[in-house]
Amino acid sequence: MGGCFSKPKPVELKIEVVLPEKERGKEELSASGKGSPRAYQGNGTARHFHTEERLPAPHPYPGAQDCVEAAICHVKDLENGQMREVELGWGKVLLVKDNGEFHALGHKCPHYGAPLVKGVLSRGRVRCPWHGACFNIGTGDLEDFPGLDSLHKFQVKIEKEKVYVRASKQALQLQRRTKVMAKCISPSAGHSSSTNVLIVGAGAAGLVCAETLRQEGFSDRIVLCTLDRHLPYDRPKLSKSLDAQPEQLALRPKEFFRAYGIEVLTEAQVVTVDVRNKKVVFKDGFKLEYSKLLLAPGSSPKMLSCKGKEVENVFTIRTPEDANRVVRLARGRNAVVVGAGFLGMEVAAYLTEKAHSVSVVELEETPFRRFLGERVGRALMKMFENNRVKFYMQTEVSELRAQEGKLKEVVLKSSKVVRADVCVVGIGAVPATGFLRQSSINLDSRGFIPVNKMMQTNVPGVFAAGDAVTFPLAWRNNRKVNIPHWQMAHAQGRVAAQNMLAQEAEISTVPYLWTAMFGRSLRYAGYGEGFDDVIIQGDLEELKFVAFYTKGDEVIAVASMNYDPIVSKVAEVLASGRAIRKREVELFVLHSKTGDMSWLTGKGS
Ligand SMILES: Cc1cc2nc3c(=O)[nH]c(=O)nc-3n(C[C@H](O)[C@H](O)[C@H](O)COP(=O)(O)OP(=O)(O)OC[C@H]3O[C@@H](n4cnc5c(N)ncnc54)[C@H](O)[C@@H]3O)c2cc1C
Ligand code: FES
């Protein structure tokens, strides 16, 4: 990309274009990205949809009065590889020029609304600058996660060297497109003890698996089950926005599940899996047979094992109820967070505005040390200290003391006693796979479910995805790893669904993670475990930096703050299969005072 994104000069604007009937038909096909998706039966064979089986997709041109067409620039206004945000009628579009062709798409990422013009254009897709979601510029389809929806694709035509874009009001205002999906036509739906696909876990992996099956035309019964009392929700927001109510966190409204025939069993704990008879047993004795099974139970937070661990007002954060309770109790009082990892630090940051005091207790010398290294950890620690957070480092909790059953003090091994009315424990998690111990599904020594690149377990027809698995990481020589990230759980859920339909998909995404504290976001891509050096460009004091984590000669991960879109650029390069050498980074740091990143992609930033 070149460095100039100057505001385009509108050439002319024409609203209320009447489209001929045949033109509208064409546009509907391209807007959905496919003509007629295949529909899979339970036995894995494909058949075609009947028209009435498809949910009516919103028509991109519902009426002439709701359409806008405008010439938005001259063909020479954009260089190849350049993107621009352009006003059009009721909204904006993202205009992209790639290989001499123009594309017009939704301009905001459907995940959290990042401006995609600030993202990375590469290999026919645009990658979001905030958390790395990727969209195909030809179709607008979501190709890599996080998030569930795709972008609208608008019609472009070139006339007399001018670029015209045509779009509907609805699409311009919505800025997101849910892919065309099948709905359930199974007669047994909702009232039978057998299902075709059973998904244990309604988190990111489980939901994406169910949606992918429907997107691919699967029209048999799908049942998702969860320990929660809620429909799938945005778990990462729990520790960043502890006040958020379950309905604000929902990933999809209940009408969505009804419309596409995805059944969700809430407060439904699976206690046994009988793979011989293809059956699961729930805690209340209910049994459900399946034909294909996805295990996506995520993880359970570790608790303290010290004296007094049973006192009241000590929490881990897994559900909206946990998070809401913590803020309620912390308001105007003393909060202690145990563990200075991502979850603990996000909670500590959030509570500074609510609590009288916030203290963090951590075994290591600096927060995030193992993940981000000493220098970055120290810079972030300073940001917390500047916001009134007190740290107790290189120590651990020896006792939780109560008054009338409620937490009053946290006693540390260093003998220090910290006043506390509420305590949040963020010391890691273990895979929630206890219910599989008696099954013949393999677990490793730490309780993870090992899967191959297709997310298959050792038992045919049983797949696993998300925080509970170890899998071969393609771009790190297929090293078996566990990557508990929101984006990774989405990607694995999709691959599992594709392989349930015998599509032979493999997991190949580059891990992407983010955290947010005091209004600042830290982004991270790659897999940095075992890094032996960290090269930093920028200003740690100002919290405007990029850190490259290297092992030997190779960059294995990158983290940044206020340095977008470098993490997305690195993720894109790694995803393309190109290794980034330590030497390249050293030269960048030596010579680049401007923050120019063209060395990464061979194009201007
Ligand atoms: C507070 C918090 C903040 C986070 N922030 C971030 C972040 O900023 N960025 C990021 O990348 N990642 C973040 N993560 C991690 C991210 O949420 C996980 O990687 C992701 O949720 C994993 O998805 P999953 O589908 O594997 O499991 P989960 O989302 O954990 O879902 C597991 C599901 O399985 C169900 N379940 C478990 N056992 C059973 C059983 N026996 N029977 C029935 N159902 C069962 C659960 O009820 C749940 O529905 C955060 C995690 C937490 C807890
Ligand atoms: S806002 Fe785009 S991936 Fe999150």
Side-chain angles (χ1 to χ4, degrees), residues 342 367-377 380 475-476 522-536 540 545-560 567 570 574 580-582 585:
F342 288 105
F368 309 115
R369 199 178 71 91
R370 264 183 298 167
F371 208 80
L372 298 176
E374 183 69 30
R375 288 176 63 201
V376 175
L380 295 175
W475 67 275
R476 287 291 305 276
L522 181 126
R523 321 196 191 287
Y524 182 96
Y527 181 72
E529 198 175 289
F531 64 85
D532 54 27
D533 200 5
V534 188
I535 303 169
I536 294 169
L540 278 178
F545 66 88
V546 50
F548 295 89
Y549 299 85
T550 60
K551 189 169 168 71
D553 179 33
E554 213 173 303
V555 172
I556 55 173
V558 61
S560 84
V567 169
V570 171
L574 296 177
I580 303 171
R581 299 286 155 209
K582 188 173 178 179
V585 178

Tab-separated table of all heavy atoms in Angstrom, residues 342 367-377 380 475-476 522-536 540 545-560 567 570 574 580-582 585:
chain	number	residue	atom	x	y	z
A	342	PHE	N	-3.179	-11.739	31.476
A	342	PHE	CA	-4.116	-10.874	30.740
A	342	PHE	C	-5.407	-10.655	31.520
A	342	PHE	O	-5.861	-9.531	31.686
A	342	PHE	CB	-4.426	-11.468	29.365
A	342	PHE	CG	-3.261	-11.354	28.436
A	342	PHE	CD1	-2.486	-12.455	28.123
A	342	PHE	CD2	-2.934	-10.125	27.881
A	342	PHE	CE1	-1.398	-12.339	27.285
A	342	PHE	CE2	-1.847	-9.995	27.035
A	342	PHE	CZ	-1.079	-11.102	26.734
A	367	PRO	N	4.615	-8.093	35.392
A	367	PRO	CA	3.436	-8.691	34.757
A	367	PRO	C	3.768	-9.158	33.335
A	367	PRO	O	4.677	-8.601	32.711
A	367	PRO	CB	2.431	-7.531	34.688
A	367	PRO	CG	3.000	-6.415	35.458
A	367	PRO	CD	4.451	-6.661	35.646
A	368	PHE	N	3.079	-10.132	32.838
A	368	PHE	CA	3.185	-10.635	31.452
A	368	PHE	C	4.600	-11.081	31.080
A	368	PHE	O	4.916	-11.189	29.901
A	368	PHE	CB	2.808	-9.560	30.417
A	368	PHE	CG	1.502	-8.863	30.628
A	368	PHE	CD1	1.469	-7.502	30.904
A	368	PHE	CD2	0.305	-9.533	30.503
A	368	PHE	CE1	0.264	-6.838	31.068
A	368	PHE	CE2	-0.908	-8.869	30.671
A	368	PHE	CZ	-0.925	-7.521	30.946
A	369	ARG	N	5.496	-11.311	32.062
A	369	ARG	CA	6.908	-11.488	31.727
A	369	ARG	C	7.146	-12.645	30.747
A	369	ARG	O	7.848	-12.506	29.755
A	369	ARG	CB	7.753	-11.687	32.982
A	369	ARG	CG	9.243	-11.423	32.751
A	369	ARG	CD	10.018	-11.576	34.030
A	369	ARG	NE	10.097	-12.967	34.431
A	369	ARG	CZ	11.071	-13.786	34.088
A	369	ARG	NH1	12.064	-13.339	33.362
A	369	ARG	NH2	11.077	-15.028	34.486
A	370	ARG	N	6.508	-13.765	31.042
A	370	ARG	CA	6.767	-14.927	30.184
A	370	ARG	C	6.204	-14.744	28.779
A	370	ARG	O	6.710	-15.282	27.825
A	370	ARG	CB	6.207	-16.196	30.821
A	370	ARG	CG	7.309	-16.930	31.581
A	370	ARG	CD	6.831	-18.190	32.161
A	370	ARG	NE	5.772	-17.912	33.128
A	370	ARG	CZ	4.979	-18.836	33.636
A	370	ARG	NH1	5.075	-20.079	33.251
A	370	ARG	NH2	4.071	-18.518	34.528
A	371	PHE	N	5.150	-13.941	28.684
A	371	PHE	CA	4.486	-13.762	27.395
A	371	PHE	C	5.100	-12.614	26.598
A	371	PHE	O	5.371	-12.737	25.406
A	371	PHE	CB	3.007	-13.477	27.662
A	371	PHE	CG	2.106	-13.918	26.563
A	371	PHE	CD1	1.730	-15.243	26.441
A	371	PHE	CD2	1.626	-13.002	25.643
A	371	PHE	CE1	0.895	-15.651	25.417
A	371	PHE	CE2	0.794	-13.401	24.617
A	371	PHE	CZ	0.418	-14.729	24.508
A	372	LEU	N	5.365	-11.498	27.286
A	372	LEU	CA	5.779	-10.291	26.564
A	372	LEU	C	7.218	-9.868	26.851
A	372	LEU	O	7.725	-8.945	26.222
A	372	LEU	CB	4.851	-9.123	26.931
A	372	LEU	CG	3.372	-9.301	26.562
A	372	LEU	CD1	2.550	-8.123	27.066
A	372	LEU	CD2	3.196	-9.428	25.052
A	373	GLY	N	7.853	-10.543	27.796
A	373	GLY	CA	9.238	-10.186	28.122
A	373	GLY	C	9.308	-9.112	29.194
A	373	GLY	O	8.324	-8.428	29.491
A	374	GLU	N	10.528	-8.981	29.744
A	374	GLU	CA	10.776	-8.111	30.889
A	374	GLU	C	10.474	-6.624	30.586
A	374	GLU	O	9.767	-5.954	31.348
A	374	GLU	CB	12.267	-8.285	31.261
A	374	GLU	CG	12.742	-7.547	32.467
A	374	GLU	CD	12.153	-8.111	33.759
A	374	GLU	OE1	11.883	-9.319	33.802
A	374	GLU	OE2	11.966	-7.313	34.694
A	375	ARG	N	10.991	-6.127	29.457
A	375	ARG	CA	10.904	-4.681	29.211
A	375	ARG	C	9.475	-4.226	28.937
A	375	ARG	O	9.020	-3.218	29.468
A	375	ARG	CB	11.810	-4.297	28.036
A	375	ARG	CG	13.300	-4.367	28.416
A	375	ARG	CD	14.170	-4.077	27.224
A	375	ARG	NE	14.003	-2.738	26.703
A	375	ARG	CZ	14.325	-2.366	25.467
A	375	ARG	NH1	14.847	-3.255	24.627
A	375	ARG	NH2	14.146	-1.131	25.064
A	376	VAL	N	8.779	-4.992	28.127
A	376	VAL	CA	7.388	-4.627	27.831
A	376	VAL	C	6.561	-4.753	29.110
A	376	VAL	O	5.763	-3.877	29.448
A	376	VAL	CB	6.805	-5.516	26.706
A	376	VAL	CG1	5.328	-5.224	26.498
A	376	VAL	CG2	7.573	-5.309	25.405
A	377	GLY	N	6.812	-5.834	29.856
A	377	GLY	CA	6.084	-6.049	31.111
A	377	GLY	C	6.264	-4.875	32.065
A	377	GLY	O	5.312	-4.395	32.690
A	380	LEU	N	4.315	-1.775	30.972
A	380	LEU	CA	2.884	-1.884	31.246
A	380	LEU	C	2.612	-1.744	32.747
A	380	LEU	O	1.630	-1.139	33.172
A	380	LEU	CB	2.337	-3.216	30.722
A	380	LEU	CG	2.403	-3.362	29.192
A	380	LEU	CD1	1.951	-4.751	28.765
A	380	LEU	CD2	1.529	-2.315	28.496
A	475	TRP	N	2.628	-23.334	10.916
A	475	TRP	CA	3.804	-22.509	10.602
A	475	TRP	C	4.903	-22.573	11.675
A	475	TRP	O	5.904	-21.871	11.560
A	475	TRP	CB	3.387	-21.062	10.287
A	475	TRP	CG	2.833	-20.333	11.444
A	475	TRP	CD1	1.549	-20.364	11.858
A	475	TRP	CD2	3.540	-19.520	12.368
A	475	TRP	NE1	1.414	-19.618	12.988
A	475	TRP	CE2	2.613	-19.080	13.320
A	475	TRP	CE3	4.868	-19.117	12.495
A	475	TRP	CZ2	2.970	-18.260	14.381
A	475	TRP	CZ3	5.218	-18.293	13.558
A	475	TRP	CH2	4.281	-17.876	14.480
A	476	ARG	N	4.739	-23.431	12.686
A	476	ARG	CA	5.839	-23.695	13.623
A	476	ARG	C	6.169	-25.192	13.565
A	476	ARG	O	6.202	-25.880	14.572
A	476	ARG	CB	5.469	-23.283	15.047
A	476	ARG	CG	5.418	-21.798	15.311
A	476	ARG	CD	6.748	-21.070	15.286
A	476	ARG	NE	7.740	-21.616	16.178
A	476	ARG	CZ	7.834	-21.322	17.472
A	476	ARG	NH1	6.976	-20.483	18.012
A	476	ARG	NH2	8.768	-21.864	18.219
A	522	LEU	N	-3.399	-3.749	23.367
A	522	LEU	CA	-2.159	-4.414	22.996
A	522	LEU	C	-2.544	-5.562	22.074
A	522	LEU	O	-3.452	-6.319	22.376
A	522	LEU	CB	-1.449	-4.953	24.231
A	522	LEU	CG	-0.124	-5.641	23.906
A	522	LEU	CD1	0.998	-5.031	24.746
A	522	LEU	CD2	-0.160	-7.131	24.156
A	523	ARG	N	-1.884	-5.639	20.941
A	523	ARG	CA	-2.179	-6.698	19.981
A	523	ARG	C	-0.984	-7.635	19.898
A	523	ARG	O	0.159	-7.214	20.070
A	523	ARG	CB	-2.480	-6.117	18.605
A	523	ARG	CG	-3.288	-4.833	18.684
A	523	ARG	CD	-3.916	-4.459	17.379
A	523	ARG	NE	-4.450	-3.103	17.455
A	523	ARG	CZ	-5.544	-2.756	18.129
A	523	ARG	NH1	-6.212	-3.649	18.809
A	523	ARG	NH2	-5.959	-1.500	18.134
A	524	TYR	N	-1.276	-8.889	19.551
A	524	TYR	CA	-0.212	-9.895	19.565
A	524	TYR	C	-0.520	-10.935	18.500
A	524	TYR	O	-1.659	-11.415	18.403
A	524	TYR	CB	-0.189	-10.557	20.941
A	524	TYR	CG	0.897	-11.592	21.139
A	524	TYR	CD1	2.096	-11.237	21.745
A	524	TYR	CD2	0.710	-12.910	20.741
A	524	TYR	CE1	3.085	-12.186	21.949
A	524	TYR	CE2	1.699	-13.862	20.943
A	524	TYR	CZ	2.877	-13.496	21.547
A	524	TYR	OH	3.858	-14.435	21.756
A	525	ALA	N	0.472	-11.275	17.701
A	525	ALA	CA	0.265	-12.353	16.723
A	525	ALA	C	1.466	-13.271	16.754
A	525	ALA	O	2.589	-12.842	17.020
A	525	ALA	CB	0.062	-11.790	15.327
A	526	GLY	N	1.218	-14.549	16.471
A	526	GLY	CA	2.295	-15.532	16.443
A	526	GLY	C	2.218	-16.456	17.633
A	526	GLY	O	1.222	-16.480	18.371
A	527	TYR	N	3.313	-17.173	17.827
A	527	TYR	CA	3.388	-18.086	18.971
A	527	TYR	C	4.782	-17.940	19.547
A	527	TYR	O	5.761	-18.455	19.010
A	527	TYR	CB	3.123	-19.522	18.500
A	527	TYR	CG	3.155	-20.524	19.634
A	527	TYR	CD1	2.123	-20.570	20.562
A	527	TYR	CD2	4.227	-21.398	19.789
A	527	TYR	CE1	2.148	-21.455	21.611
A	527	TYR	CE2	4.264	-22.301	20.843
A	527	TYR	CZ	3.223	-22.325	21.745
A	527	TYR	OH	3.244	-23.204	22.786
A	528	GLY	N	4.866	-17.176	20.639
A	528	GLY	CA	6.182	-16.742	21.099
A	528	GLY	C	6.816	-17.588	22.177
A	528	GLY	O	7.867	-17.208	22.716
A	529	GLU	N	6.201	-18.728	22.503
A	529	GLU	CA	6.761	-19.503	23.612
A	529	GLU	C	8.213	-19.878	23.306
A	529	GLU	O	8.526	-20.329	22.207
A	529	GLU	CB	5.931	-20.768	23.841
A	529	GLU	CG	6.198	-21.349	25.209
A	529	GLU	CD	5.287	-22.534	25.505
A	529	GLU	OE1	4.090	-22.306	25.708
A	529	GLU	OE2	5.802	-23.661	25.500
A	530	GLY	N	9.069	-19.672	24.254
A	530	GLY	CA	10.481	-20.024	24.079
A	530	GLY	C	11.281	-18.967	23.335
A	530	GLY	O	12.389	-19.246	22.842
A	531	PHE	N	10.772	-17.718	23.235
A	531	PHE	CA	11.569	-16.687	22.526
A	531	PHE	C	12.894	-16.476	23.258
A	531	PHE	O	12.969	-16.626	24.483
A	531	PHE	CB	10.780	-15.373	22.393
A	531	PHE	CG	10.444	-14.677	23.683
A	531	PHE	CD1	11.347	-13.816	24.291
A	531	PHE	CD2	9.215	-14.872	24.297
A	531	PHE	CE1	11.039	-13.168	25.490
A	531	PHE	CE2	8.901	-14.218	25.494
A	531	PHE	CZ	9.817	-13.374	26.094
A	532	ASP	N	13.963	-16.158	22.487
A	532	ASP	CA	15.242	-15.937	23.154
A	532	ASP	C	15.724	-14.498	23.039
A	532	ASP	O	16.775	-14.147	23.560
A	532	ASP	CB	16.305	-16.937	22.675
A	532	ASP	CG	16.457	-16.944	21.170
A	532	ASP	OD1	16.173	-15.896	20.553
A	532	ASP	OD2	16.835	-17.991	20.615
A	533	ASP	N	14.980	-13.663	22.311
A	533	ASP	CA	15.342	-12.247	22.236
A	533	ASP	C	14.089	-11.424	21.912
A	533	ASP	O	13.137	-11.949	21.322
A	533	ASP	CB	16.407	-12.043	21.140
A	533	ASP	CG	17.166	-10.736	21.323
A	533	ASP	OD1	16.932	-10.043	22.340
A	533	ASP	OD2	17.981	-10.403	20.448
A	534	VAL	N	14.129	-10.160	22.311
A	534	VAL	CA	13.019	-9.258	21.988
A	534	VAL	C	13.625	-7.995	21.383
A	534	VAL	O	14.519	-7.397	21.975
A	534	VAL	CB	12.227	-8.835	23.256
A	534	VAL	CG1	10.967	-8.068	22.868
A	534	VAL	CG2	11.885	-10.025	24.125
A	535	ILE	N	13.159	-7.633	20.186
A	535	ILE	CA	13.664	-6.408	19.554
A	535	ILE	C	12.536	-5.389	19.582
A	535	ILE	O	11.435	-5.666	19.086
A	535	ILE	CB	14.101	-6.677	18.104
A	535	ILE	CG1	15.151	-7.792	18.090
A	535	ILE	CG2	14.643	-5.416	17.454
A	535	ILE	CD1	15.459	-8.306	16.709
A	536	ILE	N	12.833	-4.236	20.156
A	536	ILE	CA	11.763	-3.247	20.340
A	536	ILE	C	12.021	-2.012	19.499
A	536	ILE	O	13.123	-1.460	19.495
A	536	ILE	CB	11.616	-2.881	21.830
A	536	ILE	CG1	11.116	-4.133	22.581
A	536	ILE	CG2	10.642	-1.720	22.035
A	536	ILE	CD1	11.157	-4.037	24.069
A	540	LEU	N	8.790	2.763	24.591
A	540	LEU	CA	8.077	2.010	25.626
A	540	LEU	C	7.454	2.949	26.653
A	540	LEU	O	6.355	2.716	27.135
A	540	LEU	CB	9.028	1.039	26.321
A	540	LEU	CG	9.278	-0.299	25.617
A	540	LEU	CD1	10.285	-1.115	26.407
A	540	LEU	CD2	7.999	-1.092	25.438
A	545	PHE	N	4.834	1.317	20.719
A	545	PHE	CA	5.959	0.437	20.389
A	545	PHE	C	5.494	-0.805	19.643
A	545	PHE	O	4.307	-1.139	19.633
A	545	PHE	CB	6.664	-0.008	21.684
A	545	PHE	CG	5.792	-0.880	22.552
A	545	PHE	CD1	5.773	-2.255	22.375
A	545	PHE	CD2	4.979	-0.333	23.534
A	545	PHE	CE1	4.952	-3.061	23.158
A	545	PHE	CE2	4.165	-1.131	24.316
A	545	PHE	CZ	4.152	-2.496	24.136
A	546	VAL	N	6.501	-1.448	19.028
A	546	VAL	CA	6.288	-2.794	18.502
A	546	VAL	C	7.440	-3.659	19.027
A	546	VAL	O	8.590	-3.207	19.048
A	546	VAL	CB	6.181	-2.811	16.960
A	546	VAL	CG1	7.306	-2.063	16.287
A	546	VAL	CG2	6.140	-4.240	16.428
A	547	ALA	N	7.113	-4.849	19.492
A	547	ALA	CA	8.149	-5.768	20.008
A	547	ALA	C	8.131	-7.041	19.180
A	547	ALA	O	7.080	-7.663	19.013
A	547	ALA	CB	7.851	-6.083	21.477
A	548	PHE	N	9.300	-7.382	18.646
A	548	PHE	CA	9.418	-8.619	17.863
A	548	PHE	C	10.062	-9.683	18.743
A	548	PHE	O	11.142	-9.449	19.294
A	548	PHE	CB	10.286	-8.399	16.623
A	548	PHE	CG	9.678	-7.439	15.633
A	548	PHE	CD1	9.924	-6.075	15.715
A	548	PHE	CD2	8.855	-7.910	14.623
A	548	PHE	CE1	9.354	-5.192	14.806
A	548	PHE	CE2	8.285	-7.037	13.705
A	548	PHE	CZ	8.535	-5.673	13.798
A	549	TYR	N	9.440	-10.835	18.837
A	549	TYR	CA	9.967	-11.940	19.649
A	549	TYR	C	10.641	-12.918	18.712
A	549	TYR	O	10.028	-13.375	17.734
A	549	TYR	CB	8.819	-12.590	20.441
A	549	TYR	CG	8.194	-11.575	21.371
A	549	TYR	CD1	7.190	-10.717	20.913
A	549	TYR	CD2	8.661	-11.411	22.668
A	549	TYR	CE1	6.665	-9.729	21.744
A	549	TYR	CE2	8.137	-10.427	23.505
A	549	TYR	CZ	7.147	-9.591	23.031
A	549	TYR	OH	6.637	-8.613	23.847
A	550	THR	N	11.917	-13.179	18.969
A	550	THR	CA	12.659	-14.028	18.042
A	550	THR	C	13.176	-15.279	18.747
A	550	THR	O	13.373	-15.298	19.972
A	550	THR	CB	13.859	-13.256	17.433
A	550	THR	OG1	14.722	-12.855	18.509
A	550	THR	CG2	13.407	-12.037	16.668
A	551	LYS	N	13.391	-16.297	17.922
A	551	LYS	CA	14.035	-17.515	18.420
A	551	LYS	C	15.046	-17.879	17.356
A	551	LYS	O	14.663	-18.080	16.182
A	551	LYS	CB	12.985	-18.611	18.592
A	551	LYS	CG	13.503	-19.848	19.299
A	551	LYS	CD	12.322	-20.754	19.649
A	551	LYS	CE	12.755	-22.107	20.089
A	551	LYS	NZ	13.384	-22.163	21.391
A	552	GLY	N	16.306	-17.906	17.747
A	552	GLY	CA	17.346	-18.097	16.735
A	552	GLY	C	17.253	-16.957	15.738
A	552	GLY	O	17.200	-15.787	16.110
A	553	ASP	N	17.136	-17.330	14.472
A	553	ASP	CA	17.170	-16.353	13.399
A	553	ASP	C	15.771	-15.863	12.998
A	553	ASP	O	15.622	-15.048	12.104
A	553	ASP	CB	17.840	-17.087	12.213
A	553	ASP	CG	17.933	-16.227	11.000
A	553	ASP	OD1	18.089	-15.010	11.182
A	553	ASP	OD2	17.804	-16.761	9.882
A	554	GLU	N	14.749	-16.350	13.667
A	554	GLU	CA	13.397	-16.160	13.144
A	554	GLU	C	12.489	-15.375	14.095
A	554	GLU	O	12.582	-15.530	15.312
A	554	GLU	CB	12.779	-17.542	12.930
A	554	GLU	CG	11.841	-17.580	11.755
A	554	GLU	CD	11.375	-18.997	11.463
A	554	GLU	OE1	12.233	-19.889	11.225
A	554	GLU	OE2	10.170	-19.203	11.515
A	555	VAL	N	11.606	-14.557	13.508
A	555	VAL	CA	10.585	-13.878	14.312
A	555	VAL	C	9.445	-14.867	14.539
A	555	VAL	O	8.886	-15.420	13.587
A	555	VAL	CB	10.045	-12.630	13.575
A	555	VAL	CG1	8.855	-12.026	14.316
A	555	VAL	CG2	11.148	-11.595	13.417
A	556	ILE	N	9.104	-15.103	15.814
A	556	ILE	CA	8.032	-16.069	16.085
A	556	ILE	C	6.765	-15.400	16.613
A	556	ILE	O	5.710	-16.021	16.656
A	556	ILE	CB	8.500	-17.196	17.043
A	556	ILE	CG1	9.071	-16.615	18.346
A	556	ILE	CG2	9.510	-18.100	16.363
A	556	ILE	CD1	9.384	-17.684	19.388
A	557	ALA	N	6.873	-14.137	17.014
A	557	ALA	CA	5.676	-13.418	17.473
A	557	ALA	C	5.955	-11.927	17.468
A	557	ALA	O	7.110	-11.490	17.403
A	557	ALA	CB	5.295	-13.862	18.889
A	558	VAL	N	4.875	-11.157	17.529
A	558	VAL	CA	5.011	-9.702	17.560
A	558	VAL	C	3.922	-9.142	18.463
A	558	VAL	O	2.819	-9.696	18.531
A	558	VAL	CB	4.900	-9.129	16.117
A	558	VAL	CG1	3.543	-9.441	15.502
A	558	VAL	CG2	5.124	-7.631	16.083
A	559	ALA	N	4.251	-8.072	19.184
A	559	ALA	CA	3.235	-7.400	20.007
A	559	ALA	C	3.357	-5.911	19.746
A	559	ALA	O	4.452	-5.412	19.460
A	559	ALA	CB	3.478	-7.681	21.492
A	560	SER	N	2.250	-5.195	19.838
A	560	SER	CA	2.351	-3.745	19.636
A	560	SER	C	1.305	-2.997	20.432
A	560	SER	O	0.280	-3.546	20.821
A	560	SER	CB	2.191	-3.387	18.150
A	560	SER	OG	0.831	-3.284	17.812
A	567	VAL	N	0.905	-5.444	13.686
A	567	VAL	CA	0.664	-6.835	14.086
A	567	VAL	C	-0.124	-7.561	12.990
A	567	VAL	O	0.160	-8.716	12.655
A	567	VAL	CB	-0.033	-6.890	15.465
A	567	VAL	CG1	-0.528	-8.280	15.783
A	567	VAL	CG2	0.960	-6.459	16.547
A	570	VAL	N	2.350	-8.375	10.188
A	570	VAL	CA	3.186	-9.543	10.495
A	570	VAL	C	2.349	-10.818	10.375
A	570	VAL	O	2.781	-11.813	9.783
A	570	VAL	CB	3.816	-9.419	11.898
A	570	VAL	CG1	4.488	-10.714	12.315
A	570	VAL	CG2	4.826	-8.277	11.909
A	574	LEU	N	3.262	-13.942	7.941
A	574	LEU	CA	3.433	-15.314	8.451
A	574	LEU	C	2.397	-16.245	7.827
A	574	LEU	O	2.695	-17.380	7.469
A	574	LEU	CB	3.334	-15.339	9.979
A	574	LEU	CG	4.424	-14.563	10.729
A	574	LEU	CD1	4.176	-14.609	12.237
A	574	LEU	CD2	5.826	-15.091	10.409
A	580	ILE	N	9.951	-14.393	8.731
A	580	ILE	CA	10.571	-13.069	8.913
A	580	ILE	C	11.854	-13.278	9.707
A	580	ILE	O	11.844	-13.875	10.785
A	580	ILE	CB	9.627	-12.110	9.667
A	580	ILE	CG1	8.299	-11.987	8.913
A	580	ILE	CG2	10.270	-10.740	9.836
A	580	ILE	CD1	7.230	-11.225	9.684
A	581	ARG	N	12.958	-12.810	9.140
A	581	ARG	CA	14.275	-13.032	9.767
A	581	ARG	C	14.574	-11.928	10.781
A	581	ARG	O	14.207	-10.766	10.593
A	581	ARG	CB	15.375	-13.045	8.698
A	581	ARG	CG	15.224	-14.130	7.664
A	581	ARG	CD	15.577	-15.487	8.227
A	581	ARG	NE	14.905	-16.539	7.480
A	581	ARG	CZ	14.552	-17.712	7.983
A	581	ARG	NH1	14.773	-17.991	9.245
A	581	ARG	NH2	13.965	-18.623	7.246
A	582	LYS	N	15.320	-12.331	11.801
A	582	LYS	CA	15.715	-11.378	12.836
A	582	LYS	C	16.487	-10.208	12.224
A	582	LYS	O	16.312	-9.053	12.598
A	582	LYS	CB	16.589	-12.128	13.848
A	582	LYS	CG	16.922	-11.354	15.076
A	582	LYS	CD	17.627	-12.232	16.083
A	582	LYS	CE	18.007	-11.447	17.312
A	582	LYS	NZ	18.685	-12.285	18.315
A	585	VAL	N	14.417	-7.380	10.902
A	585	VAL	CA	13.861	-6.544	11.966
A	585	VAL	C	14.948	-5.618	12.505
A	585	VAL	O	14.712	-4.429	12.755
A	585	VAL	CB	13.288	-7.422	13.096
A	585	VAL	CG1	12.762	-6.560	14.225
A	585	VAL	CG2	12.184	-8.310	12.563
